[in-house]
Amino acid sequence: DFCHEKVRQSKRADLEDGLTFLGFIVMENMIKPETNLCLKKLQDAEFATIMATGDNGLTAISVGRNCGIIDTHKPAYVADKVTCSNGKKVVKWTVISSFELDTEEIIKENTKENFEDNKTNGSSNSDSYDLSYDSQDYHEILIDPKCGNRDEKSNLVSEKFPWDEKLNCDFNQYEYAISGAAFEMLLKEIYNPNTPQAKAEMLKRIVLHTKVFSRMSPDHKAMLVNELQKAKDHMVAMCGDGANDCKALKAADVGLSLSEAEASIAAPFTSKIPNISPIIKLFREGRASLVTSFQLFKFIALTSLIQFTSTISLYSVISNLTSWQYLFVDLFVVFPSYFTMSKHGASKDLGNKTPISKLISSSVLTSVILQALIQVVVQVSCILLLRQQSWYVSRDTYIHQSKLRCMENSVIFLVSIILYMNAVLMYSYGSTFRKPISTNKLMIGGLAFSVTFTCVIILNPPEYFTSLFELVEIPLDFKMKIVQITIASLGVSMIVEKFIRKYLE
């Protein structure tokens, strides 16, 4: 006889009047098989894993225990917002010393009598305390769990919270679970100008150490993301599959929707796989992309400096690289290398090391500057070594053949090609976040082409090449010395890069 509108306007007591209680229906939403392994990988990689759910606190703690978010060997402080007998709203902290939660306890958490039972009877595996908040008079009250009147100061217990105003507590000794209403109340106190700074700092540390948030509304989830982002060095990734996750997905630094419904509109990334395993791949690919972008930047900067040094060196003898030499270097050495270096796949392991996130950083600048100095030393050394040879002749000998043709030109052209290949190997080898260089078939092919061309120039250049690139005949033994110098410089460059990655990144 009830229509939808009448049901909505009716009181719960009226609807439940005259009913016969048959029992509870217990529904269990099983943890997906991929969850535990994914969380373990994230924790091994030193990611802080947090669960924000709409379920009640004990259910959330039980799930957190089963999937590894909460340490079962640590006592937990569970916070919820309650109303005292005098109408004052406080945050009730329930100390759970054991995670032996059974179905009856979880059901009991949802009953109306739960708060009254705790007031009068206490609990065998938990104690309740009140941390009372008042914007006019902020203070802390520790109440005996068996006390009937929670506002009687005569019933204050001597036991202290594990945290105090001195902030000398190791917060990692405990686990924390906070309800959405309590979370909102805590934030109000943290940002209340009347709250003592020590108390605000203490509460903020509690929030940041909390791993389970229960009864969270969409606004609460977005507030949680914002609070984590405000913390120093915190980048927040959010996984969600429902409309109630949209705000948090949009607010997070990385949002991953696990459905193609409403959440996919707010999240920049969407997965068709209905579990959290894609977040691992997203992190791996993101780190690899970031590292590749920085390596390509350093490669472009170094190749520009190599060409700049080559040009300045040849200007000193009133010469320069020819048009065909410039074209070959840019079109067949630098550009293919730049394209193929970006094809490195992401590493299979997530790892616990974080890539640098700033382009203008000590590691990037140090790498470019030191590698630039190495290549300057190599090119200048080859020119000086050339001029010490008994068979060396100056540019004037070839002036009637070409304005640019000279021994310095041929040596610098050969040296620069090898230095470009060194740069490719140096910025592609040994990355923690990308697959080994051997897996990049395109880059291996490009390097093989450059090596083949270099060998042709060194051993027996055809007449066509000699004429096209305006090369001068140079003894083979000197060319081999140049190869030895450039290979030695590659070894030095690799050592420098390894040092930078170890101590500066």
Side-chain angles (χ1 to χ4, degrees):
D1 295 336
F2 287 99
C3 63
H4 173 69
E5 193 63 32
K6 190 173 181 180
V7 170
R8 291 186 59 185
Q9 295 176 357
S10 300
K11 295 181 179 179
R12 178 177 176 180
D14 296 334
L15 295 175
E16 295 180 351
D17 185 47
L19 299 179
T20 301
F21 176 73
L22 299 178
F24 287 110
I25 299 177
V26 180
M27 294 177 290
E28 183 178 11
N29 192 1
M30 297 293 294
I31 297 176
K32 296 176 181 177
E34 301 86 358
T35 300
N36 288 53
L37 179 60
C38 292
L39 290 174
K40 183 66 168 56
K41 288 182 178 180
L42 290 172
Q43 291 164 358
D44 289 343
E46 299 183 0
F47 282 85
T49 53
I50 296 174
M51 178 173 62
T53 177
D55 290 332
N56 69 69
L58 290 181
T59 301
I61 291 176
S62 177
V63 173
R65 176 202 64 181
N66 292 333
C67 65
I69 292 179
I70 287 181
D71 189 342
T72 59
H73 302 291
K74 295 180 182 179
Y77 278 77
V78 183
D80 199 3
K81 180 181 177 181
V82 297
T83 304
C84 294
S85 57
N86 61 357
K88 186 175 182 180
K89 297 184 184 302
V90 298
V91 172
K92 181 187 73 172
W93 292 90
T94 303
V95 187
I96 302 179
S97 57
S98 171
F99 286 100
E100 298 297 329
L101 303 177
D102 55 22
T103 304
E104 292 183 2
E105 276 191 282
I106 296 175
I107 294 173
K108 182 180 177 182
E109 174 73 8
N110 291 321
T111 61
K112 294 189 298 183
E113 294 80 14
N114 185 42
F115 180 53
E116 293 297 326
D117 287 345
N118 283 339
K119 288 200 300 182
T120 56
N121 300 325
S123 177
S124 60
N125 68 337
S126 66
D127 296 311
S128 296
Y129 304 101
D130 285 349
L131 184 56
S132 179
Y133 300 132
D134 189 314
S135 59
Q136 301 298 324
D137 182 21
Y138 177 80
H139 55 283
E140 179 183 273
I141 305 179
L142 301 179
I143 306 296
D144 188 331
K146 299 180 181 180
C147 170
N149 186 346
R150 290 181 169 264
D151 291 323
E152 293 179 2
K153 294 187 177 181
S154 59
N155 290 314
L156 293 179
V157 296
S158 60
E159 182 182 354
K160 293 183 178 181
F161 273 108
W163 51 81
D164 54 29
E165 293 187 14
K166 296 180 181 179
L167 299 176
N168 56 4
C169 159
D170 181 6
F171 281 79
N172 294 322
Q173 294 179 9
Y174 308 92
E175 300 286 6
Y176 306 95
I178 300 177
S179 69
F183 173 66
E184 186 176 359
M185 198 170 179
L186 288 172
L187 290 185
K188 288 180 180 178
E189 287 301 322
I190 290 173
Y191 296 108
N192 186 344
N194 296 324
T195 303
Q197 184 177 0
K199 286 289 185 181
E201 181 66 23
M202 176 192 71
L203 296 176
K204 194 169 185 178
R205 289 178 66 183
I206 294 172
V207 169
L208 294 178
H209 279 79
T210 300
K211 295 181 180 179
V212 172
F213 293 85
S214 61
R215 296 299 188 196
M216 296 285 280
S217 67
D219 289 334
H220 290 151
K221 292 180 181 180
M223 290 164 59
L224 174 60
V225 170
N226 292 331
E227 285 303 310
L228 293 174
Q229 288 173 327
K230 290 177 184 178
K232 185 178 180 181
D233 294 333
H234 276 60
M235 300 292 288
V236 182
M238 169 74 183
C239 290
D241 59 358
N244 58 341
D245 298 317
C246 289
K247 282 190 175 181
L249 287 170
K250 191 172 183 179
D253 298 292
V254 178
L256 175 62
S257 171
L258 302 180
S259 72
E260 298 183 73
E262 299 90 345
S264 63
I265 300 174
F269 300 98
T270 301
S271 172
K272 294 182 179 180
I273 303 174
N275 58 62
I276 64 171
S277 60
I279 195 68
I280 303 291
K281 184 176 182 181
L282 182 59
F283 286 152
R284 290 194 294 106
E285 294 290 344
R287 288 179 168 185
S289 298
L290 183 62
V291 170
T292 299
S293 298
F294 281 21
Q295 297 296 75
L296 289 176
F297 168 79
K298 292 191 284 187
F299 174 75
I300 292 174
L302 184 57
T303 52
S304 300
L305 291 171
I306 291 173
Q307 196 166 88
F308 174 77
T309 305
S310 300
T311 303
I312 295 299
S313 300
L314 292 176
Y315 276 175
S316 65
V317 293
I318 317 177
S319 181
N320 197 0
L321 295 173
T322 67
S323 298
W324 282 105
Q325 287 173 343
Y326 274 123
L327 183 63
F328 177 81
V329 167
D330 291 337
L331 195 59
F332 295 100
V333 179
V334 176
F335 176 73
S337 299
Y338 177 79
F339 176 76
T340 56
M341 284 176 67
S342 63
K343 298 302 179 181
H344 260 57
S347 173
K348 293 182 179 180
D349 298 324
L350 189 57
N352 58 0
K353 189 177 180 182
T354 305
I356 57 173
S357 57
K358 294 181 180 179
L359 186 60
I360 307 301
S361 61
S362 59
S363 61
V364 174
L365 295 179
T366 303
S367 174
V368 173
I369 292 172
L370 292 181
Q371 301 301 345
L373 291 176
I374 291 172
Q375 65 85 21
V376 168
V377 171
V378 170
Q379 294 197 59
V380 172
S381 299
C382 290
I383 291 294
L384 295 177
L385 185 62
L386 170 67
R387 293 175 180 175
Q388 295 175 2
Q389 304 304 311
S390 58
W391 41 262
Y392 168 76
V393 292
S394 65
R395 171 181 170 274
D396 296 336
T397 307
Y398 305 96
I399 193 66
H400 64 282
Q401 299 178 8
S402 173
K403 293 182 179 180
L404 302 178
R405 189 174 187 180
C406 62
M407 287 190 173
E408 288 86 352
N409 173 282
S410 299
V411 170
I412 289 296
F413 180 56
L414 174 60
V415 170
S416 63
I417 291 177
I418 301 177
L419 289 176
Y420 292 134
M421 290 189 289
N422 287 355
V424 175
L425 291 171
M426 181 175 50
Y427 289 131
S428 300
Y429 176 79
S431 175
T432 308
F433 310 101
R434 299 187 295 173
K435 289 181 179 179
I437 188 174
S438 58
T439 62
N440 193 340
K441 306 301 182 183
L442 282 175
M443 193 180 73
I444 296 297
L447 286 174
F449 171 79
S450 299
V451 170
T452 302
F453 180 82
T454 305
C455 291
V456 169
I457 293 178
I458 293 174
L459 298 176
N460 187 21
E463 182 63 29
Y464 175 76
F465 277 6
T466 303
S467 175
L468 180 65
F469 294 108
E470 300 184 25
L471 300 176
V472 173
E473 184 177 353
I474 295 176
L476 179 60
D477 60 338
F478 184 77
K479 291 180 181 179
M480 296 307 297
K481 287 182 181 180
I482 291 176
V483 173
Q484 293 172 4
I485 293 173
T486 51
I487 291 177
S489 72
L490 174 61
V492 174
S493 297
M494 288 287 195
I495 294 173
V496 169
E497 281 299 300
K498 187 175 181 179
F499 176 85
I500 291 173
R501 289 185 185 133
K502 184 176 182 180
Y503 295 104
L504 297 182
E505 288 188 357

